[in-house]
Amino acid sequence: MNDTSKRRDFLKLGMAGLATAGVMSAASTIDVKKAAAQAASDSLLRTVLDRGKLIVGTGSTNAPWHFENDAGELVGMDITMGRILAKGLFDDPTKVEFVMQDPAQRIPNVTTNKVDITIQFMTMSAQRSQLINFSRPYYVEGVALLTRPDAENKTFDKLLAAGSATRVSILQNVDAEAQVHSVLPQCEVMQIDTQANVLQALESKRVDAAAVDLSTVRWLASRNPDKYFDAGKSWLSMLYGAALRQRDLDWLTFVNSTFTIAMFGHENALYDAAFKDYFGQEPPARHPGFPAI
């Protein structure tokens, strides 16, 4: 066979592959009842599909994760993750009921089956994993520095160079001072009783920077650029994952697969729009080839 013939056969195979891909795409909308029948009889996946809606435990008072917008609608990154699951289950992101719960109820409501899943900016830990299963992480949280755009020392490099003259506010806790000193070893640390007062100290210029969650820095700096500035430093990575009941491999596998496809695969419209809206940034580009997942 000559090179021309080989190339012609290769192109035919390629066109056939494209045609097959089209058939697979058209067949990708699976009948819900058929899908439910494939799950184990005691799996929550079957229960949710038969019920026709997903029940998600979450909160309503913590932007950018879960909060009410000006129209009174529940929105946020956690809410989007719930809608991503609903779309994966029913091809309809609206087929989800959100149950408002206190952070202390995040694990109990899963283990007692009051909710199908908790999506409520929950930090993954080995201790919590003894009680529930965690989904794959859907965000890497951290500590970051929020400053004022009109400040002379608004960047991390200038805060570091100022040494002991730099003042940083942070929510009071046993490790607060050590956390700040790990990146600004000479600064003065001001531990404050509430997060609102941590920010107020920055606004009133009693401190040069506020050490808060990275997501909070991105949310405030993108929504109020005349008031807040991202100093460009984050550290102490913490993983946010959804909480599911244990001993249900079908349900856990479905949630992990749906999250992975939304974050790294072809069904990323909901995740990307939320990431840009709530964090003011474009998600990292996905490059076909060897997966960096």
Side-chain angles (χ1 to χ4, degrees):
M1 182 181 293
N2 59 35
D3 290 343
T4 301
S5 297
K6 289 180 179 178
R7 188 173 187 280
R8 186 182 299 115
D9 289 343
F10 175 78
L11 290 173
K12 287 180 179 178
L13 287 171
M15 293 303 293
L18 289 174
T20 302
V23 172
M24 291 177 65
S25 178
S28 63
T29 302
I30 300 173
D31 180 81
V32 170
K33 295 299 182 183
K34 290 181 180 179
Q38 305 306 310
S41 60
D42 60 345
S43 174
L44 194 56
L45 177 58
R46 177 178 288 194
T47 300
V48 173
L49 287 169
D50 285 342
R51 185 199 300 138
K53 71 174 179 180
L54 174 69
I55 301 176
V56 175
T58 192
S60 62
T61 58
N62 294 280
W65 295 101
H66 39 260
F67 63 101
E68 292 186 355
N69 62 17
D70 292 339
E73 301 164 329
L74 189 63
V75 295
M77 197 68 200
D78 285 338
I79 306 308
T80 296
M81 299 310 296
R83 296 199 183 282
I84 285 170
L85 286 179
K87 188 176 189 307
L89 288 160
F90 310 109
D91 198 29
D92 185 345
T94 69
K95 288 191 174 182
V96 53
E97 175 187 341
F98 293 102
V99 175
M100 299 303 101
Q101 58 187 22
D102 185 88
Q105 297 175 304
R106 290 179 296 187
I107 289 177
N109 281 357
V110 167
T111 58
T112 58
N113 297 318
K114 291 182 179 178
V115 298
D116 301 324
I117 187 170
T118 283
I119 310 178
Q120 195 172 355
F121 66 1
M122 191 170 179
T123 303
M124 301 171 68
S125 70
Q127 291 73 27
R128 287 172 170 171
S129 293
Q130 296 174 31
L131 304 173
I132 45 90
N133 282 334
F134 275 109
S135 72
R136 62 152 300 132
Y138 59 91
Y139 187 78
V140 181
E141 187 62 279
V143 181
L145 295 172
L146 190 69
T147 57
R148 300 183 309 275
D150 60 344
E152 181 178 351
N153 295 343
K154 65 181 180 181
T155 66
F156 172 72
D157 288 343
K158 288 192 174 183
L159 292 169
L160 182 62
S164 59
T166 294
R167 299 160 299 165
V168 179
S169 61
I170 188 172
L171 187 66
Q172 184 176 0
N173 67 73
V174 66
D175 298 320
E177 190 161 343
Q179 287 178 6
V180 178
H181 280 159
S182 67
V183 295
L184 292 171
Q186 295 181 302
C187 78
E188 177 185 346
V189 179
M190 182 183 296
Q191 297 194 46
I192 300 181
D193 57 348
T194 68
Q195 191 78 298
N197 286 336
V198 168
L199 296 176
Q200 199 280 330
L202 175 66
E203 294 165 7
S204 64
K205 302 183 179 182
R206 289 190 293 130
V207 297
D208 304 290
V212 295
D213 289 342
L214 174 61
S215 58
T216 300
V217 169
R218 289 177 170 174
W219 165 258
L220 291 176
S222 64
R223 294 300 174 104
N224 305 278
D226 58 331
K227 188 176 181 181
Y228 300 111
F229 185 80
D230 182 349
K233 178 65 177 180
S234 60
W235 71 101
L236 196 65
S237 295
M238 296 167 282
L239 305 180
Y240 282 174
L244 303 84
R245 74 181 189 184
Q246 294 179 333
R247 297 179 299 278
D248 193 339
L249 182 60
D250 286 347
W251 182 229
L252 176 63
T253 301
F254 170 79
V255 171
N256 283 340
S257 297
T258 304
F259 280 4
T260 299
I261 293 166
M263 295 167 64
F264 300 100
H266 62 291
E267 297 179 358
N268 53 32
L270 288 175
Y271 187 89
D272 286 8
F275 197 93
K276 184 175 182 179
D277 189 15
Y278 302 125
F279 306 133
Q281 297 184 334
E282 295 286 348
R286 290 89 166 178
H287 299 290
F290 192 82
I293 300 175

